[in-house]
Amino acid sequence: ALKSLESAPSNKVAATGLLSESSIKSRHSIPLPDANDNKVKADKTWSSEVSFNFDRMGSSSFEKTYKLDKIIKDGGNLNAIISMNAIPSAGSSTPAIADVRPTYTGSMELNLTKGILTKYQENLVNEWVMVIPNSDPQGPPSVINMSATRSYDIEKIK
């Protein structure tokens, strides 16, 4: 598919991003605990690392911690309800004058009986607040607020 894009330069950048190996892996993988750990119980946690590049606004790295909140019996199925909260980790870089305020949360529902992911959602909001000194020391400083949102939401349709 990537080879066929060479004849369509106007769509090449966007399509290459969608068809890149890393993009495909991120859309088709879910962060589950170690496969060798067969103990599934409430309050179990596991974590993974992720990084985002915001071009000139720097990069942000996070440690995502997943928590198995509860297991629900629905007919003959066991369904896991999982929450995710993330905190910034080492490896982030931002412009020196910016204060970054990230919020990164998510959730997942997994049918344990059938091994089917039924819902997965992540939402990252990165807000940059920059105070630019005013040339007039008596005047108020200029403040610039910028934000970027990255959302990922999939749901199995019956």
Side-chain angles (χ1 to χ4, degrees):
L2 285 171
K3 200 167 208 148
S4 67
L5 293 172
E6 293 173 7
S7 62
S10 64
N11 298 327
K12 186 175 182 177
V13 173
T16 301
L18 288 171
L19 296 173
S20 71
E21 184 177 341
S22 63
S23 179
I24 291 170
K25 280 182 181 179
S26 72
R27 285 193 310 270
H28 292 276
S29 62
I30 56 172
L32 294 175
D34 184 349
N36 295 321
D37 186 357
N38 294 322
K39 297 176 185 174
V40 179
K41 60 181 181 175
D43 293 331
K44 178 177 182 57
T45 62
W46 64 96
S47 58
S48 67
E49 295 275 333
V50 68
S51 295
F52 297 96
N53 184 350
F54 294 101
D55 295 323
R56 291 185 179 178
M57 294 309 295
S59 64
S60 295
S61 296
F62 296 91
E63 180 179 359
K64 300 190 298 186
T65 301
Y66 296 87
K67 180 182 175 192
L68 177 54
D69 294 322
K70 59 185 169 183
I71 297 174
I72 299 171
K73 290 183 181 180
D74 179 18
N77 293 315
L78 292 176
N79 295 305
I81 308 300
I82 300 162
S83 60
M84 185 276 289
N85 285 296
I87 57 171
S89 63
S92 297
S93 66
T94 58
I97 63 169
D99 178 26
V100 182
R101 300 174 185 167
T103 304
Y104 194 8
T105 59
S107 62
M108 180 185 336
E109 291 182 24
L110 183 65
N111 182 319
L112 298 172
T113 306
K114 296 179 180 176
I116 297 173
L117 179 70
T118 53
K119 285 185 181 181
Y120 188 84
Q121 179 271 328
E122 286 187 3
N123 191 40
L124 166 63
V125 178
N126 229 24
E127 181 182 16
W128 295 269
V129 178
M130 293 169 280
V131 178
I132 312 293
N134 194 337
S135 59
D136 176 10
Q138 302 302 319
S142 298
V143 177
I144 298 172
N145 289 315
M146 293 179 21
S147 65
T149 301
R150 302 241 173 137
S151 293
Y152 184 69
D153 198 351
I154 60 174
E155 185 171 351
K156 182 179 182 318
I157 300 173
K158 300 189 186 231

